[in-house]
Amino acid sequence: MSEISHSWLNELPKIELHVHLEGTLEPELMFELAKRNSIPLNFSGVNEVKEAYQFSNLQDFLDIYYQGAQVLLHEQDFYDLTWAYLLKCKEQNVLHVEPFFDPQTHTDRGVPFKVVINGISDALADAEERLGISSKLIMCFLRHLDETSAIETLKNSAEYTDYIYGVGLDSSEKGNPPEKFSNVFSAAKDMGYKLVAHAGEEGPASYIWRSLDILNIERIDHGIRAIDDPELMLRLINNQIPLTVCPLSNVKLKVFEEMASHTILEMLEQGVCVTVNSDDPSYFGGYMTENFVSLYDNLGLSKDQALRLVKNSIDASFAPKKRKKGLYSILDEFAAE
Ligand code: HPA
Ligand code: ZN
């Protein structure tokens, strides 16, 4: 008999380092908010929305994802979105999260930055107090927009540095290389933000090099294309630069044909600091537990590998030292049961 099971993977203490809050919008909440805010949707019901979630690449997904986000207008909407995700975390024993949000998706529609950040940060504060879930929030720039817009967004964030811990880069990767954002990342660093960026999801390994060398990022989101470049693999291993990998997302967006061909465990065994994350769980078929379960069902994830993946997430997180120590103890105690 296998030493682990689906329920063990649900109970496993977990850390999430790559999740877009807008990507946690479940169709049910999308309809509720559309009604509350009198926003027409292109879908007749929840089932039709779910059926539309078939994507052939990243752009296909992004087109639907930005549509969905239009139902978010008021502080309460952003609170409800974030809180629903955090309740899911509680259910799945996710103890620390570092979620992304995309302010430009909202400010471009006339929703003030303040409305977005207040709703999200109130929910994160309540989660810490009521659910025991700690967090560090990361603001992403949309890479399909120009750098001027990103700089404007960075300036908007200056009032909220108590609530925002880092900046990232997301949206359409191909044709929008890291160096397009060199000035804004340099300015963000000067403001004291931690730096991460999506790289090597659909784009080539060279985008990972350039994110490290030009943007000075500390952690790579996705990064799975690194496996094409042995020299880059050595750098990632030697410097223990973390990758926030999103298995179900990669299969949904056809980065891998099927889960059985995913390379995350191969990278883990080679010594890369890979971690498991959900990306846009409501669109990709699952939250943290479902991602671990899929690795177990399709790649034979072992107990030792599952524990190492979570340890990597603790190491890779921006949690303060004391919290990291606490998370290690919880994990060690769980592993010994
Ligand atoms: N890649 C790039 N941008 C995104 C993603 C992703 O997987 N999810 C939400 N925005
Ligand atoms: Zn992502």
Side-chain angles (χ1 to χ4, degrees), residues 18 20 100 198 222 279-280:
H18 183 158
H20 302 260
F100 300 129
H198 283 54
H222 290 296
D279 208 4
D280 301 282

Side-chain angles (χ1 to χ4, degrees), residues 9 31 41 48 111 134 139 146 173 175 177 183 233 267 275-276:
L9 290 168
F31 271 89
L41 286 177
E48 198 183 317
V111 178
S134 54
M139 171 176 82
D146 58 26
E173 187 180 10
N183 295 307
M233 286 289 282
M267 290 174 114
T275 64
V276 175

Side-chain angles (χ1 to χ4, degrees), residues 144-318:
H144 66 272
L145 301 179
D146 58 26
E147 195 185 39
T148 315
S149 171
I151 289 172
E152 179 71 26
T153 305
L154 183 69
K155 284 187 184 150
N156 276 333
S157 79
E159 268 183 76
Y160 303 101
T161 50
D162 285 352
Y163 303 107
I164 304 171
Y165 201 72
V167 303
L169 186 62
D170 64 3
S171 192
S172 324
E173 187 180 10
K174 281 185 180 164
N176 294 299
E179 60 272 21
K180 183 177 162 185
F181 297 93
S182 56
N183 295 307
V184 74
F185 269 70
S186 158
K189 194 179 170 87
D190 290 344
M191 286 171 72
Y193 285 125
K194 294 279 185 187
L195 310 179
V196 301
H198 283 54
E201 178 187 18
E202 280 191 343
S206 64
Y207 279 23
I208 303 175
W209 281 108
R210 288 186 252 162
S211 300
L212 293 169
D213 292 332
I214 301 174
L215 302 184
N216 288 306
I217 61 158
E218 309 183 26
R219 192 165 83 195
I220 298 155
D221 295 314
H222 290 296
I224 44 92
R225 290 267 61 84
I227 205 156
D228 304 333
D229 183 336
E231 205 184 321
L232 177 57
M233 286 289 282
L234 272 181
R235 181 174 178 184
L236 299 181
I237 295 163
N238 291 339
N239 298 322
Q240 284 297 287
I241 300 164
L243 304 188
T244 62
V245 180
C246 308
L248 284 174
S249 161
N250 293 154
V251 176
K252 267 288 198 184
L253 300 187
K254 309 270 194 287
V255 170
F256 290 98
E257 262 312 297
E258 51 183 3
M259 195 57 80
S261 50
H262 204 292
T263 50
I264 183 172
L265 297 187
E266 199 179 319
M267 290 174 114
L268 178 71
E269 294 312 325
Q270 287 186 43
V272 181
C273 182
V274 285
T275 64
V276 175
N277 306 274
S278 73
D279 208 4
D280 301 282
S282 95
Y283 292 87
F284 298 151
Y287 290 76
M288 287 294 282
T289 296
E290 290 80 8
N291 272 276
F292 274 95
V293 160
S294 188
L295 296 180
Y296 171 67
D297 287 349
N298 296 287
L299 290 168
L301 176 78
S302 68
K303 176 177 177 180
D304 173 64
Q305 287 173 326
L307 294 169
R308 273 191 283 147
L309 285 165
V310 179
K311 281 206 176 92
N312 283 349
S313 294
I314 301 175
D315 288 338
S317 80
F318 297 138

Side-chain angles (χ1 to χ4, degrees), residues 84-143:
Y85 164 66
L86 292 161
L87 287 180
K88 198 75 185 177
C89 288
K90 186 72 189 168
E91 233 177 84
Q92 300 197 340
N93 209 17
V94 178
L95 305 176
H96 175 82
V97 298
E98 302 192 354
F100 300 129
F101 75 115
D102 291 335
Q104 289 153 297
T105 300
H106 315 297
T107 51
D108 279 9
R109 298 181 289 119
V111 178
F113 192 97
K114 185 173 132 203
V115 165
V116 181
I117 190 73
N118 283 354
I120 293 173
S121 58
D122 279 358
L124 292 175
D126 283 353
E128 177 121 37
E129 198 183 305
R130 289 159 56 187
L131 308 176
I133 299 172
S134 54
S135 60
K136 294 289 182 199
L137 181 62
I138 299 175
M139 171 176 82
C140 280
F141 305 119
L142 297 179
R143 67 200 304 160

